[in-house]
Amino acid sequence: MKSSIRNILIGVLAILIVAFASPSDKYFSIAKNLDIFASLFREVNSYYVDDTDPEQLTKIAIEAMLESLDPYTNYIPEEDAEAFMTSTTGEYAGIGAQIAIIDNEAYISMLYKGFAAEKAGIQVGDKIVKANGSETINKSVSEISAILKGRARSKAQIQIIRSGVKDTLSFDVVREKITVNNVPYFGLIEDTSIGYILLDDFTTGAGKEVGLAVKSLKSDGAKAVILDLRNNLGGLLSEAVNVSNVFIPKNRVVVSTRGRIEEWNRTYKTLDGSIDDQIPLAVLVNGESASAAEIVAGVMQDYDRGVLIGTQTFGKGLVQTSRPLTYNNRVKITTARYYIPSGRCIQELEYGDHADDTVKRKAGIFKTKAGRDVYDRGGLMPDILVEESNVKSITVELFVQGLLFKYANYFHSQHPSTTFDASQFSNFKTWLDNNSFEYYSPFNQSIDSLYEMAKAEKQDQMVLDNILKLKKPLNETDTELEEAKHEITRLVRQELGARKELQAGEIKSILNEDEAILISLKMLRNQDHYKKLLSSN
């Protein structure tokens, strides 16, 4: 029933989309097709064989229409408005904790330093068993978050179980306005005069936070800076301008937006003097650096202001504008493409009527200020390519099952001041055995699938036997663990860092093992090499 109605609505909305695109008699076409849709909607609701839900049908219709445009044009119903505002402002009222679900149980996976939950004494790794009297078992993160969020200065009652502590602990946490930092960590890298800044987001205040971090690092003796934009999916365009302004002077073009509404087209320039437009700069990027993060990285590349290090970025060159709808609903519409100072748009894919353009159009060549060749389409290509290593499948399995998280709880409760390294790895393997960890590799699973396929096709026994010979031995777990020892040790150390110093501890625990950071340090220490990278292809 629902699929039939969905198909009808998609068909009608396809007519609407064509109407919107037509240059002739546009407003008549809009009115006409909206009237068609309204009359169809009334007929379906009045005469369909089963009862229908008008709100659900409308939502299906809207989402079907927007789905045909691009992935970033989204309907925001009234009930999601608060989450949308949180994503743009970085503010909400709650206890200041992140939650993870492991084996249908809720755990505190991270705390925001200085906010309600941490001040009350809750710790990373604590298992939440009740929230405001409601059991949390089998509840989703969103369900538990809805219980814990609430009016500022109201109380949330939380009962937790802590590894190594016999009794259930109870906390009355006073909710407060939580502001999530865009810069969760900055500091000098150990035994160097090079500062490191992790920029996680582009919500309100990102530029100010990066500026303060640079000032603080310089006062501590920093002679160069690494700005980490990896896994930063972007945010506010205005904050991309503000972050860029930290490193480039006043009145420089950062980004231009061009769309169908000419009066909305704008060129954004830096408004203030820079914090430091000379300090050597490395910018770390990867395939999850997108949107505002790509603007900042692209600006640094186009002005030859910093060296990009990492992997090719995501390639999101589309601008979204939030528009109000009736009854407190909103729509986020792609209204323009953005262009960085060299003139390039780095959008990877086109959508809708322009979907074929991606295949037809070759990447254009543009020039940086110093005359280096750079390219549009497909995101930004780093100046120094550092491929990210693939995580081994057994490590993924341990992470997905929550075993790295649980082991960190156990190890921290037993050795709160001990650093985990390879010498404790045998302890980890013993713990896994005691917790009945079984690993069956994707390779063996594929062989099983091939065997079943061959069996279904009635292949002879010799073929079936030869397929089975391809399987890895069943005692492969220990071998696989040893091969993944380094990355598992690193992840456990991250988890333990979070239990000691929250997100700062998580980050600091692996700075000296990060290949992109190590390459950045080497480059920044060699200023002749740094300058050469910024002056030639």
Side-chain angles (χ1 to χ4, degrees), residues 433-454:
D433 287 339
N434 293 338
N435 283 268
S436 304
F437 173 65
E438 293 182 2
Y439 174 70
Y440 197 57
S441 70
F443 180 83
N444 276 356
Q445 292 176 42
S446 298
I447 298 301
D448 286 346
S449 297
L450 181 61
Y451 179 85
E452 291 302 323
M453 188 186 303

Side-chain angles (χ1 to χ4, degrees), residues 82 93 99 131-132 140-151 175:
E82 183 181 352
I99 298 167
N132 283 350
S140 66
V141 169
S142 58
E143 288 173 319
I144 297 168
S145 294
I147 296 170
L148 294 177
K149 288 180 180 179
R151 208 168 22 86
R175 297 182 181 94

Side-chain angles (χ1 to χ4, degrees), residues 56-168:
Q56 182 65 16
L57 284 182
T58 303
K59 188 176 180 183
I60 290 170
I62 291 170
E63 289 176 349
M65 177 175 70
L66 299 184
E67 189 179 335
S68 71
L69 301 176
D70 68 71
Y72 312 113
T73 297
N74 304 128
Y75 172 56
I76 304 163
E78 183 179 10
E79 59 268 25
D80 294 338
E82 183 181 352
F84 173 72
M85 291 304 295
T86 298
S87 71
T88 55
T89 64
E91 296 181 353
Y92 70 96
I95 67 168
Q98 294 179 17
I99 298 167
I101 303 297
I102 301 172
D103 293 334
N104 297 318
E105 295 180 310
Y107 290 84
I108 299 291
S109 60
M110 185 54 69
L111 296 167
Y112 297 121
K113 188 172 180 60
F115 287 105
E118 192 216 7
K119 289 188 291 189
I122 291 174
Q123 298 178 7
V124 172
D126 287 347
K127 179 166 69 175
I128 307 171
V129 290
K130 281 189 178 181
N132 283 350
S134 176
E135 292 189 355
T136 58
I137 188 83
N138 295 323
K139 281 190 168 64
S140 66
V141 169
S142 58
E143 288 173 319
I144 297 168
S145 294
I147 296 170
L148 294 177
K149 288 180 180 179
R151 208 168 22 86
R153 295 188 293 279
S154 62
K155 284 185 179 180
Q157 295 177 324
I158 303 170
Q159 289 183 293
I160 65 105
I161 291 175
R162 181 171 296 163
S163 183
V165 177
K166 187 178 295 185
D167 298 326
T168 299

Side-chain angles (χ1 to χ4, degrees), residues 105-344:
E105 295 180 310
Y107 290 84
I108 299 291
S109 60
M110 185 54 69
L111 296 167
Y112 297 121
K113 188 172 180 60
F115 287 105
E118 192 216 7
K119 289 188 291 189
I122 291 174
Q123 298 178 7
V124 172
D126 287 347
K127 179 166 69 175
I128 307 171
V129 290
K130 281 189 178 181
N132 283 350
S134 176
E135 292 189 355
T136 58
I137 188 83
N138 295 323
K139 281 190 168 64
S140 66
V141 169
S142 58
E143 288 173 319
I144 297 168
S145 294
I147 296 170
L148 294 177
K149 288 180 180 179
R151 208 168 22 86
R153 295 188 293 279
S154 62
K155 284 185 179 180
Q157 295 177 324
I158 303 170
Q159 289 183 293
I160 65 105
I161 291 175
R162 181 171 296 163
S163 183
V165 177
K166 187 178 295 185
D167 298 326
T168 299
L169 304 176
S170 296
F171 297 88
D172 284 337
V173 184
V174 180
R175 297 182 181 94
E176 60 182 320
K177 182 179 177 182
I178 309 296
T179 303
V180 181
N181 289 335
N182 293 279
V183 177
Y185 175 76
F186 69 88
L188 287 177
I189 294 177
E190 189 177 359
D191 299 326
T192 75
S193 58
I194 296 172
Y196 171 83
I197 302 170
L198 175 62
L199 179 58
D200 255 356
D201 214 336
F202 281 85
T203 60
T204 304
K208 183 178 179 181
E209 290 178 48
V210 173
L212 290 172
V214 171
K215 287 179 180 178
S216 179
L217 289 170
K218 288 181 66 179
S219 69
D220 290 339
K223 305 298 182 187
V225 170
I226 298 171
L227 177 64
D228 195 342
L229 297 177
R230 291 174 297 180
N231 305 311
N232 185 322
L233 296 176
L236 298 175
L237 180 63
S238 58
E239 291 301 333
V241 177
N242 294 339
V243 171
S244 298
N245 201 174
V246 172
F247 300 103
I248 61 173
K250 183 178 181 178
N251 208 34
R252 293 283 181 89
V253 172
V254 173
V255 62
S256 300
T257 61
R258 298 178 217 158
R260 191 160 60 92
I261 311 299
E262 285 191 23
E263 55 266 35
W264 288 5
N265 293 348
R266 286 189 59 186
T267 296
Y268 295 83
K269 296 182 178 181
T270 50
L271 299 175
D272 303 306
S274 66
I275 301 299
D276 193 322
D277 56 21
Q278 297 298 319
I279 193 167
L281 177 67
V283 182
L284 307 186
V285 293
N286 66 4
E288 297 299 310
S289 303
S291 191
E294 291 178 289
I295 292 175
V296 171
V299 167
M300 299 304 119
Q301 190 174 56
D302 282 357
Y303 284 120
D304 307 290
R305 178 61 190 87
V307 174
L308 267 60
I309 296 176
T311 59
Q312 190 170 2
T313 63
F314 183 82
K316 181 178 180 289
L318 302 176
V319 181
Q320 283 71 49
T321 303
S322 170
R323 303 284 296 170
L325 302 173
T326 54
Y327 300 102
N328 298 318
N329 299 296
R330 298 190 74 83
V331 62
K332 189 174 68 168
I333 308 174
T334 296
T335 54
R337 290 174 176 80
Y338 68 68
Y339 298 81
I340 51 180
S342 61
R344 52 185 169 147

